[in-house]
Amino acid sequence: MHNIEGLIIINAFSDAQIATAARFKDEFARLGVAVEIKRNNVFLSWIKEGKCLVDNYHYDFCIYYDQDIYIGRLLERHGIRLFNNISSIEICADKMLTHIALTNLGIKMPNTISGFWCYTEDKNYTDNQINYIIEQLKLPLIAKLCYGSSGDSVFLIKTKQDLQEFCFKYKLQPHLFQEFIQSSFGKDIRIIVIGNKAIGAMQRTNTNDFRSNLACLGKGELFPLDKNLKTLAEKVSRTLHLDYCGVDLLVGADGEPILCEVNSNAFIVGFEKYTGINVASVYAKYILTMLNS
C-alpha cells in the first residue's frame, strides 16, 4: 500500500486559518503522514467540455478548511473525500441555514428572524418592518450577517436607529436578527466535536465586549463537559453530518445552554492552549481511521 498523503485547503486571502492548518499538519507528521497546505487561490478545479477537472490532485484525503462551496463541490464531484463534506460546510457557513437545519429537534436557540433579501440599492426596510422586528425580539437585539467569523459580523442593536442603520448598510447581504441573551453577555461555551464525539469544552469570557470570541480579546478556560452539554453538541454534529466542528452555546438565565452557532472550520490554537486538549491529534487519528474503514 502506498504512503498516505493529505491536503489541507485554506482560504485564498485570509491568514486566520494558517495556525490551525499547521497544527493539523504537525500531528499528521507525527503519525507518519505527509500533508500539504494549499491556499485556495490556484484554480484547483474547473469545468472543461462538460467534465469536472482537478489540477494535479494525488492526495488520499482533503481537510477542506475553506468555505468556498463551488470548489468544494467540484472536488467532491471528482470523487475526492473531504473532511468536512461540502454540504455540511455550506450549512454551517450560513448562520441562518444552520438554525433552520436544527429546528424541530428540541434544541433551544435564540428567537430568530431571517432578514429580507434585497437586490436593489435604493430600496430599504419600511418603518413597519423595523417595528415588527423590535416587537418580536425586543431591544437590545442581535443583528448578524449570515456569513462571517470571529465575531466580526455580529452587532448589538440597542436602539431603533441602530437597527435602521444596520438594515440600510447591510440590506444587500444575507442577514438575520436574533433575541439578545443578556445572561450570556460576554460569555459562551465552545465544544469541539470529532466523529460525533465531544472531546472537550472551553468557556470564553470577555468583560469588555458582548462577544466572547478570542479574536475579540476574550479569554478562555477549560470548562467541565457534563452529560447535558455532551449530548447536545453530539446531537448537533450528527444532525449536520459533520466530521469535525465547534459548537458554540450561549448561557441562558437558568443556566440552560442555548445554541448560538456551529463552526465547521473551528480554530483550535486557542482551544488547545486553554484546555490542554490535543485537538489536532484526535482529528488526525479520526481521519486515518475513516480512511481505513
Side-chain angles (χ1 to χ4, degrees), residues 112-238:
T112 302
I113 297 175
S114 175
F116 297 123
W117 285 55
C118 179
Y119 306 97
T120 309
E121 182 66 40
D122 63 353
K123 301 295 183 181
N124 202 5
Y125 279 72
T126 66
D127 195 58
N128 284 341
Q129 290 164 345
I130 293 291
N131 287 337
Y132 180 84
I133 295 169
I134 294 173
E135 177 185 339
Q136 295 300 316
L137 301 178
K138 312 305 178 186
L139 291 170
L141 59 85
I142 295 294
K144 293 183 181 180
L145 303 185
C146 289
Y147 298 93
S149 62
S150 303
D152 60 0
S153 61
V154 182
F155 305 88
L156 181 59
I157 304 298
K158 298 180 179 179
T159 66
K160 181 176 179 178
Q161 183 178 346
D162 288 345
L163 183 57
Q164 290 170 324
E165 291 175 355
F166 172 88
C167 292
F168 179 77
K169 184 174 182 179
Y170 295 109
K171 62 188 176 185
L172 300 181
Q173 299 182 51
H175 57 279
L176 59 83
F177 309 99
Q178 283 187 325
E179 167 191 13
F180 177 52
I181 308 301
Q182 179 67 49
S183 54
S184 202
F185 184 100
K187 177 174 62 177
D188 74 356
I189 300 166
R190 159 68 60 87
I191 302 173
I192 295 292
V193 186
I194 296 175
N196 296 324
K197 294 182 180 180
I199 67 168
M202 170 180 67
Q203 180 170 272
R204 301 182 295 191
T205 56
N206 191 339
T207 58
N208 298 312
D209 198 309
F210 74 98
R211 299 166 298 178
S212 59
N213 308 69
L214 300 185
C216 298
L217 303 182
K219 303 297 181 183
E221 60 180 318
L222 180 67
F223 193 80
L225 185 59
D226 63 24
K227 183 178 180 180
N228 186 34
L229 293 177
K230 181 177 172 65
T231 299
L232 174 56
E234 292 175 354
K235 182 177 184 177
V236 168
S237 175
R238 285 194 307 273

Side-chain angles (χ1 to χ4, degrees), residues 29-293:
R30 290 187 174 89
L31 297 171
V33 176
V35 171
E36 184 176 0
I37 300 172
K38 281 188 178 181
R39 283 192 181 276
N40 192 8
N41 63 357
V42 290
F43 303 107
L44 294 165
S45 185
W46 64 96
I47 300 169
K48 184 176 182 180
E49 298 176 356
K51 296 181 180 180
C52 175
L53 299 181
V54 175
D55 184 40
N56 191 31
Y57 193 98
H58 58 276
Y59 308 96
D60 297 285
F61 67 90
C62 172
I63 296 179
Y64 198 73
Y65 214 62
D66 198 7
Q67 293 182 333
D68 184 327
I69 304 304
Y70 304 130
I71 296 300
R73 287 204 176 276
L74 284 168
L75 293 177
E76 282 193 340
R77 188 71 172 168
H78 196 70
I80 295 168
R81 174 68 157 95
L82 301 188
F83 295 87
N84 289 291
N85 72 82
I86 202 63
S87 293
S88 296
I89 291 174
E90 183 173 20
I91 290 173
C92 292
D94 184 328
K95 295 176 176 61
M96 192 65 206
L97 285 183
T98 304
H99 284 288
I100 292 170
L102 295 172
T103 55
N104 303 330
L105 297 172
I107 296 172
K108 190 170 183 179
M109 59 184 77
N111 295 331
T112 302
I113 297 175
S114 175
F116 297 123
W117 285 55
C118 179
Y119 306 97
T120 309
E121 182 66 40
D122 63 353
K123 301 295 183 181
N124 202 5
Y125 279 72
T126 66
D127 195 58
N128 284 341
Q129 290 164 345
I130 293 291
N131 287 337
Y132 180 84
I133 295 169
I134 294 173
E135 177 185 339
Q136 295 300 316
L137 301 178
K138 312 305 178 186
L139 291 170
L141 59 85
I142 295 294
K144 293 183 181 180
L145 303 185
C146 289
Y147 298 93
S149 62
S150 303
D152 60 0
S153 61
V154 182
F155 305 88
L156 181 59
I157 304 298
K158 298 180 179 179
T159 66
K160 181 176 179 178
Q161 183 178 346
D162 288 345
L163 183 57
Q164 290 170 324
E165 291 175 355
F166 172 88
C167 292
F168 179 77
K169 184 174 182 179
Y170 295 109
K171 62 188 176 185
L172 300 181
Q173 299 182 51
H175 57 279
L176 59 83
F177 309 99
Q178 283 187 325
E179 167 191 13
F180 177 52
I181 308 301
Q182 179 67 49
S183 54
S184 202
F185 184 100
K187 177 174 62 177
D188 74 356
I189 300 166
R190 159 68 60 87
I191 302 173
I192 295 292
V193 186
I194 296 175
N196 296 324
K197 294 182 180 180
I199 67 168
M202 170 180 67
Q203 180 170 272
R204 301 182 295 191
T205 56
N206 191 339
T207 58
N208 298 312
D209 198 309
F210 74 98
R211 299 166 298 178
S212 59
N213 308 69
L214 300 185
C216 298
L217 303 182
K219 303 297 181 183
E221 60 180 318
L222 180 67
F223 193 80
L225 185 59
D226 63 24
K227 183 178 180 180
N228 186 34
L229 293 177
K230 181 177 172 65
T231 299
L232 174 56
E234 292 175 354
K235 182 177 184 177
V236 168
S237 175
R238 285 194 307 273
T239 301
L240 300 180
H241 306 290
L242 290 156
D243 294 296
Y244 165 85
C245 66
V247 178
D248 293 346
L249 303 173
L250 303 172
V251 182
D254 57 359
E256 183 180 6
I258 301 172
L259 181 80
C260 179
E261 295 181 5
V262 184
N263 296 276
S264 63
N265 60 346
F267 299 154
I268 67 170
V269 174
F271 189 94
E272 290 185 330
K273 172 185 174 182
Y274 289 114
T275 67
I277 299 170
N278 191 331
V279 177
S281 176
V282 177
Y283 196 26
K285 291 174 181 176
Y286 164 79
I287 289 173
L288 296 182
T289 299
M290 293 299 293
L291 294 176
N292 292 324
S293 62

